[in-house]
């Protein structure tokens, strides 16, 4: 199966992102607006690469404090214990529940990190116009997009615990600054994955990419 | 190849304005994220405090992440690691300190482990009560920074607060402990620093610290007493309940004050030694250097006990020093004898110098002059002793000295030592004597009326009055004994109540009384309960799933 088959871009056509209507661009360098629904037309998402890069970089920046700062501060009986994500993993592992430790490690550390790496790899492959493996990269992109919202589960658990465990003065849980950064990582990687136009993956013609 | 598409048949898009080139505003997001992250990192580094290590012989109750380092009741750091050191002979405690406290860690800063205590200021929440031990510190004066310390076994004396240290000598420690509060007129004025067995093991030396400005009220005459528990006393004065504060009831405490007879105002020297009295009453009792002893023969010792007051014109001027029975050599009958101690110094008013001087001159003067004064009181002014009921409820009685110009003359053997002083033998109780007094007045009026010239009326009146007189006499002989009996029965009931109360008193307040024991047990129960809550919390922390699945087998 060839991935270099005819595309709308090759034919100089643009498809409406909203209603799917295939149109001829209004003029060179400017696709114009959809006749049917009025949406702005563009051959590829405008600034897709730049936006994805920016959001991915922002996510990477937030990833550091998300892991360095405590996500939860447990106040129990007069002593407060700050818990970071990795600290929690180590704690779970040393206290014997390695399956839980593995789940937390994968869900809260590996997946966000993996998403960042995947985004970077997709972006680099687009820039390098890598031949072959477009299908795999497509699947990866789909996986990154699919897994995105699920990472919010961590944030949900943290906020849930904070709201639930308020047994002052015996015990209380406060959110740490880390959870804010963790949420930022999740949201930013989601936005980055969304802003990456997957069509760029098979745009091997430099002319196509220039359009993006 | 797919089928050819009629491209021209497709609609043509409308024209839009040319796109702006250059970096997108989207880059604002990573820059903002970086700025926030860097800001937090910088703030972290800025507030990063020093890490210190402290070597302890024992580190009971010190836990990583749970034990705090406190200075002036403020958390300034947290223990991050506890490990054995020096070939397992010592415990190395590593603590991360706040940056704000960085200046405290110099060469001669000292650390020690503070065990939790119940103090009113400390129990602000259940958390502090069960938060366990903490590490206290005393800042040094050196300017050389130090990060490795050797902890003290016992807390050092307070030196960074103005005040003075004193030593109190006590028979036993009672319920006092290190940190027990010191009260001056119920204000917290200091605390117990330490205690140690006195040389020879004959008692306990309690070292206390009195904060400025209270230390200036500690003179050589200041009295210290154990203010622990509740002091309930039942005596001729009635029921007295004294406590210092809730803390002293729970955790023990010491109170001090100047007795009313104190004469000096110059503060005592640092390190001065005082006696720790067991209660306020015994502490405030006058030393009474010139106690005079006298003997009274009463008709009954009912309600008189050692320590009961002796009052002169209503002012407590002494106390009963002893009650016993003697055998009258002539009649061979038992005679109750009351030995009283009389403290003339207590009576001297100190406010008018001339009067004070005269009284003191007599009190301190030679025996003949003093005897002459006493003789004057009894022979010329008619001073007489009387046994009176102080508390109708308890039947407590006391000795009262009052001037009675009409008292019959008595002969006193002035050569005896101690002197036997005359007692007005009313034979009746106080109440009875009052009734008799009223009767006598009535008789006096009757006598006057009898002398009136109105013969006829007088005769009738006389008859009527005689009836009244008889009636009154009847009251005197019939009703009064009944009244006396009623009073006696009431008094017996009260004595029982008194015993019960005394029993209660001992049950609740004696040092090794069962009540106090129970109270202690209850407190220990609370501490145990707190400990179990802690254990549960620790368990839940380790096994959060137990909340849902229950406690599985370990
Ligand atoms: Zn459209």
């Amino acid at each position: 199966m060839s991935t270099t088959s005819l595309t709308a871009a090759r034919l100089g056509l643009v498809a409406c992102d909203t209603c799917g209507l295939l149109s001829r661009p209004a003029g060179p360098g400017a696709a114009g607006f959809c006749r049917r629904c009025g949406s702005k037309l563009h051959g590829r998402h405008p600034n897709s690469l730049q936006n994805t890069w920016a959001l991915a970089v922002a996510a990477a920046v937030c990833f550091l404090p998300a892991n360095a700062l405590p996500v939860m501060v447990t106040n129990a009986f007069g002593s407060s214990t700050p818990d970071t994500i990795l600290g929690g993993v180590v704690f779970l592992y040393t206290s014997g529940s390695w399956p839980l430790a593995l789940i937390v490690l994968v869900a809260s550390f590996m997946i966000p990190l993996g998403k960042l790496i995947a985004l970077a790899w997709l972006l680099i492959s687009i820039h390098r116009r890598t031949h072959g493996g477009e299908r795999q990269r497509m699947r990866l992109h789909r996986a990154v997009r699919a897994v995105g919202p699920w990472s919010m589960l961590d944030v949900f658990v943290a906020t849930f615990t904070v709201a639930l465990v308020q047994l002052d003065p015996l015990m209380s849980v406060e959110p740490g600054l880390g959870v804010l950064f963790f949420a930022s990582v999740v949201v930013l990687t989601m936005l980055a994955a969304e802003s990456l136009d997957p069509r760029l993956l098979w745009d091997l013609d430099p002319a196509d990419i220039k359009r993006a | 190849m797919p089928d050819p598409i009629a491209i021209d048949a497709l609609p043509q898009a409308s024209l839009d304005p040319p796109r702006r080139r250059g970096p997108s505003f989207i880059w604002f997001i990573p820059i903002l994220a970086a700025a926030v992250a860097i800001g937090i990192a910088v703030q972290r580094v800025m507030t990063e405090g020093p890490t210190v290590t402290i070597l302890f012989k024992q580190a009971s109750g010190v836990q990583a992440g749970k034990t705090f380092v406190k200075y002036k009741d403020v958390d300034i750091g947290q223990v991050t690691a506890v490990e054995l050191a020096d070939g397992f002979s010592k415990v190395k405690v590593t603590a991360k300190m706040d940056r704000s406290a960085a200046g405290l860690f110099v060469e001669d800063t000292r650390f020690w482990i503070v065990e939790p205590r119940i103090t009113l200021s400390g129990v602000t929440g259940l958390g502090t009560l069960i938060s366990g031990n903490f590490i206290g510190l005393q800042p040094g004066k050196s300017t050389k920074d130090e990060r490795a310390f050797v902890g003290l076994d016992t807390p050092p004396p307070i030196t960074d607060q103005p005040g003075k240290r004193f030593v109190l000598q006590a028979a036993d420690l009672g319920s006092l402990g290190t940190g027990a509060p010191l009260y001056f007129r119920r204000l917290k004025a200091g605390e117990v620093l330490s205690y140690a067995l006195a040389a020879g093991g004959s008692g306990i030396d309690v070292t206390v610290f009195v904060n400025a400005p209270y230390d200036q009220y500690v003179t050589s005459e200041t009295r210290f007493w154990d203010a622990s528990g509740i002091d309930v006393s039942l005596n001729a004065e009635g029921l007295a309940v004294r406590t210092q504060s809730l803390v002293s009831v729970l955790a023990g405490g010491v109170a001090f004050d100047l007795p009313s007879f104190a004469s000096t105002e110059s503060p005592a020297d640092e390190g001065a030694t005082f006696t720790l009295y067991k209660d306020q009453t015994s502490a405030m009792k006058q030393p009474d250097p010139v106690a005079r002893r006298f003997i009274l023969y009463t008709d009954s010792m009912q309600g008189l006990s050692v320590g009961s007051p002796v009052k002169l014109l209503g002012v407590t001027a002494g106390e009963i020093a002893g009650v016993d029975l003697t055998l009258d050599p002539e009649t061979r009958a038992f005679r109750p004898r009351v030995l009283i101690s009389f403290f003339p110094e207590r009576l001297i008013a100190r406010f008018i110098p001339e009067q004070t001087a005269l009284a003191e001159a007599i009190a301190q003067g030679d025996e003949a002059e003093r005897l002459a004064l006493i003789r004057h009181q009894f022979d010329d002014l008619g001073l007489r002793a009387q046994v009176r009921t102080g508390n109708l409820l308890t039947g407590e009685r006391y000795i009262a000295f009052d001037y009675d110009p009409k008292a019959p003359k008595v002969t006193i053997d002035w050569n005896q030592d101690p002197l036997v002083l005359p007692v007005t033998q009313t034979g009746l109780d106080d109440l009875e004597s009052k009734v008799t007094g009223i009767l006598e007045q009535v008789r006096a009026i009757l006598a006057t009326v009898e002398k009136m010239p109105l013969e006829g009326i007088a005769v009738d009146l006389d008859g009527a009055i005689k009836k009244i007189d008889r009636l009154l006499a009847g009251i005197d002989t019939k009703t009064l004994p009944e009244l006396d009996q009623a009073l006696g029965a009431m008094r017996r009931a009260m004595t029982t109540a008194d015993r019960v109360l005394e029993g209660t008193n001992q049950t609740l307040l004696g040092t090794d009384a069962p009540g106090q024991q129970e109270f202690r047990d209850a407190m220990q129960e609370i501490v145990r309960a707190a400990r179990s809550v802690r254990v549960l919390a620790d368990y839940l922390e380790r096994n959060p799933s137990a909340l849902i699945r229950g406690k599985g087998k370990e």
Side-chain angles (χ1 to χ4, degrees):
Chain A
M1 196 201 85
S2 168
T3 51
T4 56
S5 52
L6 187 66
T7 63
R10 289 246 169 117
L11 295 169
L13 298 174
V14 284
C16 175
D17 281 340
T18 311
C19 67
L21 179 72
L22 199 61
S23 316
R24 282 177 290 133
F33 295 90
C34 176
R35 288 275 178 207
R36 184 152 70 191
C37 70
S39 299
K40 193 167 185 289
L41 294 176
H42 30 68
R44 298 291 176 259
H45 292 177
N47 293 330
S48 172
L49 291 179
Q50 199 183 173
N51 287 1
T52 310
W53 268 122
L55 292 166
V57 165
V61 165
C62 290
F63 188 71
L64 216 71
N67 283 285
L69 296 174
V71 284
M72 275 198 278
V73 181
T74 315
N75 298 310
F77 309 106
S79 67
S80 69
T81 325
D83 294 304
T84 61
I85 293 169
L86 289 177
V89 171
V90 171
F91 178 78
L92 284 169
Y93 181 74
T94 51
S95 59
S97 41
W98 65 265
L100 260 174
L102 197 68
I103 290 172
V104 177
L105 180 70
V106 169
S108 306
F109 185 75
M110 305 286 264
I111 287 181
L113 188 66
K115 275 160 75 179
L116 284 174
I117 293 170
L119 280 170
W121 184 51
L122 290 175
L123 286 165
I124 289 166
S125 76
I126 290 165
H127 279 292
R128 287 187 158 188
R129 276 164 257 148
T130 312
H131 283 271
E134 287 91 347
R135 185 167 285 232
Q136 283 74 30
R137 282 184 276 135
M138 271 298 295
R139 280 204 197 109
L140 183 65
H141 182 240
R142 235 177 264 144
V144 165
R145 286 176 65 168
V147 88
W150 290 99
S151 293
M152 280 308 261
L153 202 64
D154 271 59
V155 181
F156 170 72
V157 167
T159 43
F160 198 63
T161 315
V162 167
L164 214 61
V165 187
Q166 290 296 342
L167 307 168
D168 271 332
L170 273 178
M171 201 174 180
S172 69
V173 175
E174 286 166 28
L177 210 52
V179 80
L180 200 72
F181 282 99
F182 187 84
S184 305
V185 171
V186 176
V187 170
L188 287 169
T189 47
M190 274 166 74
L191 290 175
E194 290 301 320
S195 70
L196 181 65
D197 195 331
R199 289 173 291 188
L200 293 169
L201 287 169
W202 58 75
D203 277 341
L204 299 173
D205 189 342
D208 296 338
I209 293 159
K210 220 175 94 188
R211 207 169 296 162
Chain B
M1 277 298 282
D3 296 330
I5 300 161
I7 288 168
D8 292 336
L10 294 171
Q12 191 175 29
S14 57
L15 202 70
D16 68 331
R19 274 218 327 262
R20 184 180 52 84
R21 298 300 311 178
S24 162
F25 80 97
I26 197 85
W27 287 101
F28 177 71
I29 294 172
I31 289 167
L32 181 75
V36 171
I38 289 167
I40 285 170
V42 166
Q43 195 216 345
R44 279 283 156 126
V45 171
M46 293 290 281
T47 56
E48 182 82 334
T51 301
V52 302
T53 59
I54 312 151
L55 274 181
F56 285 109
K57 270 191 195 153
Q58 268 190 323
S60 53
V62 176
Q63 282 175 286
K66 291 196 174 165
T67 306
F68 290 93
V69 180
K70 289 188 183 187
Y71 176 57
K72 291 184 186 287
D73 274 347
V74 173
D75 290 347
I76 56 161
Q78 196 175 18
V79 171
T80 53
V82 181
E83 58 201 334
L84 289 170
D86 274 11
F88 310 119
S89 65
K90 295 216 168 132
V91 183
K92 191 168 115 184
V93 173
T94 311
K96 190 129 186 101
M97 301 298 180
D98 290 352
R99 193 184 167 80
S100 58
L104 285 173
F105 310 108
V106 292
E107 263 183 328
D108 52 347
T109 299
R110 287 181 285 183
F111 295 85
W112 64 97
I113 294 169
V114 183
E115 311 222 325
R117 278 186 298 106
I118 302 173
T119 66
L120 205 58
S121 57
V123 186
T124 47
L126 194 54
T128 45
L129 186 64
I130 55 177
S131 63
N133 296 2
F134 64 89
I135 295 174
L137 87 105
Q138 187 187 63
K141 290 185 168 60
S142 164
T143 50
K144 203 165 156 238
D145 276 0
E146 179 67 60
R147 293 292 177 261
F149 300 92
V150 176
L152 301 175
D153 298 334
T154 52
I158 301 164
T159 54
D160 62 331
Q161 281 178 38
K164 277 183 193 159
R165 263 195 295 164
F166 300 106
V167 178
L168 309 181
Q169 292 173 329
D172 58 60
L173 188 59
S175 55
L176 294 177
T178 305
L182 213 65
Y183 294 99
F184 177 62
R185 297 178 193 274
R186 298 190 194 201
L187 283 171
K188 191 173 181 290
E191 63 182 87
V192 171
L193 289 183
S194 63
Y195 48 85
L197 203 62
S202 57
I204 301 283
D205 281 347
V206 181
T207 309
V208 296
F209 186 83
V210 181
N211 298 334
Y214 305 105
D215 60 338
Q216 60 181 298
Y217 303 114
V218 179
T219 73
S220 56
E221 286 174 289
T222 295
R223 303 298 175 88
F224 290 79
W225 67 91
D226 190 342
S228 310
I230 308 165
D231 181 12
V232 182
S233 49
L234 194 63
N235 50 31
E237 320 266 315
L239 184 77
V241 181
R242 290 195 200 90
T243 60
Q244 285 297 323
S245 77
L246 186 62
V247 180
S248 68
V249 170
L250 289 172
V254 173
F256 68 89
D257 205 345
L258 268 179
S260 54
F261 49 84
S263 56
T264 173
E265 278 175 12
S266 54
D269 291 332
E270 168 107 35
T273 304
F274 295 90
T275 304
L276 182 63
Y277 292 89
K278 67 174 176 21
D279 54 38
Q280 185 173 12
T281 318
S282 55
M284 285 306 172
K285 208 166 265 183
Q286 211 153 0
D288 299 319
V290 281
R292 315 286 180 200
R293 300 214 149 186
F294 301 101
I295 287 171
L296 306 173
Y297 288 103
T298 62
D299 53 338
S300 165
M301 287 193 307
Q302 176 92 40
L304 291 175
S305 54
V306 175
S308 292
V310 172
K311 295 188 178 183
L312 177 64
L313 305 176
V315 178
T316 304
E319 64 183 29
I320 293 177
V323 280
D324 44 25
L325 287 174
T326 53
L327 203 58
D328 193 312
E330 286 167 29
T331 61
R332 302 232 151 207
F334 287 109
R335 268 213 301 180
R337 190 184 70 162
V338 177
L339 185 68
I340 61 164
S341 293
F342 200 77
F343 310 118
E345 272 76 10
R346 283 195 194 175
L347 303 170
I348 300 167
R350 296 194 174 274
F351 303 107
I352 303 168
E354 304 89 66
Q355 289 178 7
T356 310
L358 173 66
E360 268 177 1
I362 293 166
Q364 313 285 340
D366 66 305
E367 196 67 11
E369 198 180 351
R370 208 172 56 78
L371 204 61
L373 181 77
I374 297 173
R375 194 165 185 163
H376 174 62
Q377 305 296 319
F378 285 91
D379 286 356
D380 304 334
L381 302 174
L383 189 71
R384 293 291 181 273
Q386 219 172 8
V387 181
R388 292 217 185 130
T389 301
N391 192 323
L392 212 59
L393 289 179
T394 62
E396 290 274 356
R397 300 206 291 177
Y398 67 97
I399 308 287
F401 281 90
D402 282 302
Y403 290 119
D404 181 9
K406 284 191 293 218
K409 292 277 175 215
V410 286
T411 47
I412 299 169
D413 183 358
W414 295 105
N415 296 319
Q416 276 183 324
D417 189 43
L419 279 173
V420 177
L421 297 180
V423 178
T424 313
Q425 303 285 359
T426 53
L428 292 168
D429 211 347
D430 201 28
L431 183 68
E432 233 170 318
S433 72
K434 272 180 196 156
V435 177
T436 318
I438 295 164
L439 281 178
E440 262 161 18
Q441 278 175 18
V442 171
R443 281 210 189 92
I445 295 163
L446 288 178
T448 331
V449 172
E450 219 167 358
K451 281 176 195 147
M452 281 184 165
L454 303 161
E455 283 290 321
I457 303 162
V459 169
D460 292 349
L461 196 62
D462 194 32
I465 285 165
K466 269 181 182 142
K467 277 177 198 159
I468 296 172
D469 202 9
R470 268 203 302 282
L471 187 70
L472 287 174
I475 292 171
D476 201 0
T477 54
K478 282 181 199 157
T479 323
L480 272 182
E482 271 165 36
L483 183 67
D484 206 13
Q485 270 172 16
L487 272 175
M490 189 171 162
R491 189 168 304 138
R492 269 197 301 282
M494 283 308 154
T495 315
T496 319
D498 191 11
R499 256 205 309 277
V500 172
L501 271 176
E502 212 169 273
T504 317
N505 197 355
Q506 271 168 16
T507 318
L508 280 175
L509 305 162
T511 36
D512 45 11
Q516 184 139 347
Q517 190 58 43
E518 275 163 30
F519 183 64
R520 268 188 213 139
D521 285 351
M523 286 314 290
Q524 275 168 5
E525 208 61 48
I526 292 173
V527 171
R528 264 202 292 277
R531 203 174 294 147
S532 349
V533 172
R534 246 192 112 129
V535 169
L536 175 69
D538 280 349
Y539 179 80
L540 287 179
E541 215 172 312
R542 272 183 282 109
N543 308 288
S545 56
L547 270 176
I548 299 157
R549 289 186 303 181
K551 191 174 170 179
K553 53 179 195 282
E554 290 277 293

